[in-house]
Amino acid sequence: MSAVDRALLQAIEQAASPDQLVADRRDFHRYAESGWTEFRTSSLIARRLERLGFAVLAGRSVCAADARMGVPPASVLDAHLLRAIDQGGDPEYVEAARGGLTGVVASLDGGAGPTVALRFDIDALDLVESDAPTHRPARDGFASVNVGACHACGHDGHAAVGLGVAEVLMKLRRLLRGSVKLIFQPAEEGVRGARAIVEAGHLEDVDILIGHHLITGWGLGEIAPSMNGYAATRKFDVTFEGAAAHAGGSPEEGRNALLAAATAAIGLHALPRHRSGFTRVNVGRLEAGTGRNIVPGRALLVAEVRGESSALCDSMYERAMRVVESSASMYGCSAAVRSMGEAGTASCDPILAKRVKAVGEPWGDVTFESADRMGGSEDFTEMMRRVQSHGGLATNIGVGADFHGVLRSTLDRSSVLGGHTPTFDFDERAMALAVRLLASLTIDAMRAPGCSAEP
Amino acid sequence: MSAVDRALLQAIEQAASPDQLVADRRDFHRYAESGWTEFRTSSLIARRLERLGFAVLAGRSVCAADARMGVPPASVLDAHLLRAIDQGGDPEYVEAARGGLTGVVASLDGGAGPTVALRFDIDALDLVESDAPTHRPARDGFASVNVGACHACGHDGHAAVGLGVAEVLMKLRRLLRGSVKLIFQPAEEGVRGARAIVEAGHLEDVDILIGHHLITGWGLGEIAPSMNGYAATRKFDVTFEGAAAHAGGSPEEGRNALLAAATAAIGLHALPRHRSGFTRVNVGRLEAGTGRNIVPGRALLVAEVRGESSALCDSMYERAMRVVESSASMYGCSAAVRSMGEAGTASCDPILAKRVKAVGEPWGDVTFESADRMGGSEDFTEMMRRVQSHGGLATNIGVGADFHGVLRSTLDRSSVLGGHTPTFDFDERAMALAVRLLASLTIDAMRAPGCSAEP
Amino acid sequence: MSAVDRALLQAIEQAASPDQLVADRRDFHRYAESGWTEFRTSSLIARRLERLGFAVLAGRSVCAADARMGVPPASVLDAHLLRAIDQGGDPEYVEAARGGLTGVVASLDGGAGPTVALRFDIDALDLVESDAPTHRPARDGFASVNVGACHACGHDGHAAVGLGVAEVLMKLRRLLRGSVKLIFQPAEEGVRGARAIVEAGHLEDVDILIGHHLITGWGLGEIAPSMNGYAATRKFDVTFEGAAAHAGGSPEEGRNALLAAATAAIGLHALPRHRSGFTRVNVGRLEAGTGRNIVPGRALLVAEVRGESSALCDSMYERAMRVVESSASMYGCSAAVRSMGEAGTASCDPILAKRVKAVGEPWGDVTFESADRMGGSEDFTEMMRRVQSHGGLATNIGVGADFHGVLRSTLDRSSVLGGHTPTFDFDERAMALAVRLLASLTIDAMRAPGCSAEP
Amino acid sequence: MSAVDRALLQAIEQAASPDQLVADRRDFHRYAESGWTEFRTSSLIARRLERLGFAVLAGRSVCAADARMGVPPASVLDAHLLRAIDQGGDPEYVEAARGGLTGVVASLDGGAGPTVALRFDIDALDLVESDAPTHRPARDGFASVNVGACHACGHDGHAAVGLGVAEVLMKLRRLLRGSVKLIFQPAEEGVRGARAIVEAGHLEDVDILIGHHLITGWGLGEIAPSMNGYAATRKFDVTFEGAAAHAGGSPEEGRNALLAAATAAIGLHALPRHRSGFTRVNVGRLEAGTGRNIVPGRALLVAEVRGESSALCDSMYERAMRVVESSASMYGCSAAVRSMGEAGTASCDPILAKRVKAVGEPWGDVTFESADRMGGSEDFTEMMRRVQSHGGLATNIGVGADFHGVLRSTLDRSSVLGGHTPTFDFDERAMALAVRLLASLTIDAMRAPGCSAEP
């Protein structure tokens, strides 16, 4: 490691306090908010960045409202907005996000040079957190108090890392050779939010885009400079409308939405496999009918398709629509389809991945992993595609944060993105490493030949 | 019984020879011909009636060609036409029936008075007859020599009865007070033929229409003056056309006609029950696909619906079409539907049923049965409806012909129309009784007040 | 009408106050309680009957606890018990019914003679009542305050009639020639309660059993002396247990309970029709799965079968169980079936129906209807069967109570048992007529030759 | 090319006559015989090899009779045996193969050294060959005269190449440093035959195993030294037995085998995808039912599963069996499953693939292709696995033989194994190249370090 590097490293470590990272993470964890209801989370981030000196966008300017997918009903948004204020959200920023306009974009002008954007997703999952005494958040008192919302994918850590990176970069401001943009994205779960940020234009001037994800399948110090192979996915809800009728007295008057949905569910799972790569289909929920003796007149089906490529995913979606419409018409029903999330595939730029290695290798405490078949979906790809489409570079970095030793042996590294389970937890020390890596990479990328955007 | 009646009865019994009836029936049985291939049967009937002195229509004039349903392919028709000549058919009349124009209509002008039509169906079933030594036709050498065609519903008897009635009425010609029309109908099985005879106009001038069916569920001497409750039915074939593809190499290129047909079969059976009465649906055959590793590009589905009323049947048919079309479109296939048979419901006229009783009661050797829930289908209803639509009267008479004593205890009288089994047989003595009844009724109906058509 | 009859009629009309009937009905309506939670309703009935002088059984003695079907979870029972007390229930009797032991049986010993039992069902439906100003209960302030419970089938009226009959019979006590038993049955909706009363033995000593139902399809003054043709039915819930799995990452690890339930739903509807009579099947609800990207590990299916006879119903049930078990095993799931209600068929005794006519005809203000194909199900049949099994007589009387003139033209009389709709209401004057009829019939039946139980 | 090589090449080319290859191929093509009926083909091969001086095994010794899969019924075998004699088969060898004991194994002892086995598959497909004048075999008079059997996958060429190799190796016998075994395998189509040869023990002493396949997707001179990625597969037929019944009269008596099969077909296609690799499932044929108005009592389903690995394939098969059994039991039917073919996966040994390159590269007229994702199935893998299991080496070579220039652009190289279409044809010049390559490789492999089996 050169003297310059050593100095930088030291500066970073002084700027970022591990204790603060842990405190932030546990605060976000305790007041977990799921997609489009990150009122408290967004408001506190916005206020903090503002105080640090960033130019902060919140509310209406962050997401293109119409491009948001899977937004909860107004009644839920309103209730959670009140909760956010109750739980210490910043009233002004909470109010700005009314209607589910969550998320924050903050900028720091570092003079001439490329614009480097870093993305941090901030939403929790719709999950009831474990209260088992063996679950650290429960034991140590920072388990979610919001029943049904739980940070089980590490986005609480991502948000804390984002604040840490902000603090470091502000302190090392003089080292920048370009601008920094910090994107705190709502609603990554269900791949519902990235597109709305893209549509709002925030990626248009970005030359280098960096994302990261804490990975509980890897140990502390294990880093993937790029994570590829995310599946393209389309999420959708279908409402079948038929006609209810008395099942005993006049069954012939019914148009059976339950059977339409059941037929669709089976038909969707029977979609043919594809030569060109893997595909997935899942009907995650089916809810139909009211009373036992009523022919069900209405049914809801919650589904998704995936594909190894965007083309495969689109082909699955097209066939799925045919199945849905035909199932409805078979039972004389109508089918209304609503898009609830969407993400394509994208590939990390090797040149940027190499910079990750170049930055981290001298430190001596990290090793590098290959992660080319991630399997799940991640809407960061939507941002990557936009940046790459105008000649920019992008990568998504995996940061090992395995907490439970036991996980190592039982989980398949290539498929674990996080737990999505009620007892999910991670090694909090990984956050400091993530801050160090992202801050260093930001500064490095602004200088590295081939990274600055001169297409 | 009055002296007049006694004289009539005697005259009838002299005119009709039981031995001739048995000989005719066994001849038709031995050379069984199924629907639209009754070349030999029709030709022999036509020739015989012509010789008796009837005005005979055969070939093109009998059925409206386009109204025939479920006609076999030309290759089958041609092969069976040759077979008919080989087996002693009348060459001239066989030739007239080329292309499946089978059936005979014969008239006898009896002067002023109503026109009484009698209908006799003449086709066999597509069935391989039993060769068990316990099966009388096999034991006594008159089992069908035409493999795959078998008189297992008694139409051989009906045809013989028709010839017997023709002989009697010709001999008693001077007693007639009106005209007689004998209709030997092809393709009753599958309810494919009656409509074509109706469409050819043969029922337009009919005032009184009489049908009969030998019933193996009832003993000799048991007579139903009217048989009601035949279900309306529509028969149809569906051909699903998709696209074949290599199942291993490019499954996504297939449009799976087998799955479309399977989905349709299940969906058809899941059609809702109906408040207003019973309904039926059956997919009797499904044939799809070629090779094991080929996505099936073509499927055939052979089906029918029934209903307690024509309205119920039509409602089932309409829903069935929706299922068929939706199943096809679910798998990207097309569905071509071909009508293969159709019969509505009809009710016998009580006034005519009363004449049956009035005629038979004095004989002392018959008892009368009620038969109001026959359940099966019978395309004689098509003729009845046409006659009734212009104010005429119609009835369909059941004539007990139970052969196997054992049947009595195991079969439900209200549902048995005949056996449709490889060992079907009947009590041949019932034919003479049928001749006596039909001839007497014809003469009676021409005179009975209320029967002659003065609407 | 004889002078005696006239005197009786007058006495009855003096004893029963129409205003009291309306007040009682509206009170029950306002505090509607659905099956097994009729804590307040039962307690007020019990207290009133006790005060009138009846020997009252409540709580544990009314229903055989294990024979109750479709009992809500303990948490629901407990919450509604507290609500009942809040809403003015009699604390002592409410407490006696803890755990869903609702219902009341009251007796009056009238000396030597037959025991006449009258049955009144008292439960509401799980339905949110309309608050439209055009809905009389809403307009006049007696709509249900218990959201999700609504008297939409007239059982509030039945309960009020029962109290009216009790009052009359107590006042006319000296006219009795036998004993009276008043059965206030819980949980008729879903046919869940009658069997538990039968199993507790209350029908063992009954010679004459009389039920009644207000019928909104008939006008005031229209009476059906007997209502026959109720379908036998079996209600059941199925829980499919499979294994959840990540749909993207490891779909092959799932055992898909949603597809098992969907397959069962379709298979149930595809059960074959039956020669011997009508059958019905309905899957009224299907709920499966949690998250969009999770292979559903659990599903609930709420269903029922019906048959024109108990044998048909049992045959459908048996086949349904096969479909359920096979669907589960197809997807590697288990299926747990829970019986949620059951009622057989029963026929009213014509001799008793004749007494209804004999009693009412002289009044001049009633007409008699035939009601032989009711179609729906009614668990009063369970009580009838028990009484008839030891030689007793039973009938179920329909009492016209049409409120909305419009209903007459749009509803099929033979299929309407009540509305089961949020705007259900009835002509309250029918209650006084019902009291008059039931009280008169009770007194009459004790004297009528052929009615007293001398088997 | 070294002088030695050049000499060898020259010797080979003198030994093998291209005209003979073409004549042999066209003879086999004209008298195409499908799996287990290769009576004529086997007999002529056996006789020829015998005359060349090979030690020939035919009939009972070639295949383990019980390990044969998908053997046609005895009536078919017998008819085709007679046909073989008619068409000039060698009577003695035809007779030896009675009962479907086709195939030939021939050995040549070349002294000390490894045993090199070459495998040639010889069966045709069940397909009607095109008679279009644009189809060369039709135009030039060598199209199949056996209607329904057609060499549409090039095995006629493989058989001819086998004879050519035999001739060359016999002539160059002195150059051998080990033994040669020529395996002419029956019934490769449907992967039915290899296992029976393995089970008969013919691979036990083999050190080096070489297969080849003419590939119409590649041009003349294009060679794949190894073809990997064949899918594991299991083929099976299912017979569902239920109970037939009259669909109109007594539908409830039926146990519907058609619906059981339809449910199974859909359920099979709905088997979940798998994380670990690609899977396939296909129901290639479904045949059920007899008459339109009969509840179908019997159904046949012809299916297969595949997997990227043998484990995946077995897992699919296990689940498929569950679907089949559950579908049967859902409709009260039984299901009998019969194994009709099976092949696992195997990988070519790189060391052997390198020898292919080493041998061919100096010739100058060949180029080498990579073929690592073949997709289809090939039961040569069964032989490879056995040889590799005891430390031997194996490869399967692709030999470009594209005939129709147009194919190049429309077919995906990685998925085409042959056409399986009625107009399949190939470039016959490829056969001489194949002979040259296989003969050279045999001689080379006996000498090459690392190839001789010294594990």
Side-chain angles (χ1 to χ4, degrees), chain C residues 280-370:
Chain C
R280 295 279 184 278
V281 61
N282 195 52
V283 176
R285 261 173 63 212
L286 194 170
E287 281 174 18
T290 53
R292 186 187 306 281
N293 66 337
I294 307 294
V295 176
R298 197 167 180 284
L300 171 71
L301 189 145
V302 172
E304 64 172 19
V305 292
R306 302 188 191 213
E308 194 168 336
S309 68
S310 295
L312 280 172
C313 180
D314 289 347
S315 149
M316 288 291 283
Y317 184 76
E318 191 188 335
R319 282 180 179 251
M321 288 307 98
R322 185 190 288 159
V323 167
V324 161
E325 281 152 28
S326 303
S327 300
S329 95
M330 184 178 301
Y331 291 94
C333 301
S334 65
V337 180
R338 191 170 158 221
S339 182
M340 298 300 283
E342 196 172 340
T345 46
S347 295
C348 296
D349 288 290
I351 197 169
L352 211 47
K354 274 184 199 149
R355 294 319 308 164
V356 176
K357 274 194 157 176
V359 161
E361 224 150 30
W363 298 345
D365 62 350
V366 299
T367 57
F368 294 97
E369 297 287 330
S370 159

Side-chain angles (χ1 to χ4, degrees), chain D residues 72-410:
Chain D
S75 60
V76 171
L77 295 176
D78 290 349
H80 288 181
L81 182 144
L82 294 175
R83 183 181 71 184
I85 291 174
D86 261 16
Q87 296 179 344
D90 181 285
E92 187 187 326
Y93 277 117
V94 165
E95 183 56 38
R98 176 176 293 278
L101 293 163
T102 50
V104 179
V105 175
S107 303
L108 176 61
D109 185 348
T115 295
V116 178
L118 296 113
R119 178 268 211 163
F120 310 95
D121 42 2
I122 63 175
D123 55 321
L125 281 155
D126 290 327
L127 204 80
V128 178
E129 186 159 14
S130 168
D131 58 2
T134 53
H135 180 53
R136 184 174 62 172
R139 190 195 63 192
D140 293 357
F142 65 94
S144 173
V145 297
N146 294 335
V147 177
C150 170
H151 272 294
C153 191
H155 299 189
D156 49 349
H158 300 174
V161 166
L163 292 176
V165 168
E167 190 141 355
V168 168
L169 290 180
M170 185 55 77
K171 286 199 182 144
L172 303 185
R173 187 169 189 173
R174 66 192 157 78
L175 297 177
L176 299 180
R177 295 290 179 272
S179 296
V180 170
K181 187 181 283 194
L182 306 179
I183 300 173
F184 291 83
Q185 180 204 313
E188 193 282 328
E189 298 296 347
V191 294
R192 297 172 291 160
R195 179 163 297 180
I197 287 187
V198 169
E199 292 301 314
H202 300 296
L203 282 307
E204 298 309 318
D205 62 350
V206 172
D207 301 299
I208 291 162
L209 174 67
I210 302 166
H212 85 294
H213 207 297
L214 299 173
I215 304 285
T216 51
W218 301 335
L220 189 68
E222 294 181 345
I223 302 288
S226 61
M227 295 192 294
N228 284 309
Y230 287 107
T233 186
R234 298 183 72 166
K235 324 283 196 193
F236 55 98
D237 287 0
V238 185
T239 305
F240 293 91
E241 290 282 356
H246 281 233
S250 47
E252 78 283 0
E253 285 173 11
R255 285 178 284 125
N256 197 318
L258 185 152
L259 292 184
T263 299
I266 295 170
L268 286 170
H269 281 269
L271 286 181
R273 284 137 172 95
H274 207 289
R275 167 181 49 182
S276 325
F278 77 75
T279 53
R280 295 279 185 277
V281 60
N282 194 54
V283 176
R285 261 173 63 210
L286 194 169
E287 282 175 17
T290 53
R292 185 186 306 280
N293 64 338
I294 307 294
V295 176
R298 197 166 181 285
L300 171 71
L301 190 145
V302 172
E304 64 171 21
V305 292
R306 302 188 191 214
E308 194 166 338
S309 68
S310 295
L312 280 173
C313 180
D314 289 347
S315 150
M316 287 292 282
Y317 185 76
E318 191 188 334
R319 282 180 178 249
M321 288 306 99
R322 185 191 288 161
V323 167
V324 160
E325 281 152 28
S326 302
S327 300
S329 94
M330 184 179 301
Y331 291 93
C333 301
S334 65
V337 180
R338 194 171 157 220
S339 182
M340 298 301 284
E342 196 171 339
T345 47
S347 296
C348 296
D349 289 289
I351 197 169
L352 211 48
K354 274 185 200 151
R355 294 318 310 164
V356 175
K357 275 195 157 178
V359 161
E361 223 150 31
W363 300 344
D365 60 351
V366 298
T367 57
F368 294 98
E369 298 287 331
S370 159
D372 280 347
R373 293 183 63 184
M374 297 307 288
S377 296
E378 157 67 91
D379 70 0
F380 185 54
T381 52
E382 295 288 303
M383 298 188 187
M384 292 171 69
R385 285 153 73 99
R386 183 57 62 99
V387 168
Q388 290 170 333
S389 76
H390 58 246
L393 302 173
T395 197
N396 194 21
I397 301 169
V399 179
D402 187 21
F403 179 63
H404 305 286
V406 66
L407 285 179
R408 280 175 167 276
S409 56
T410 58

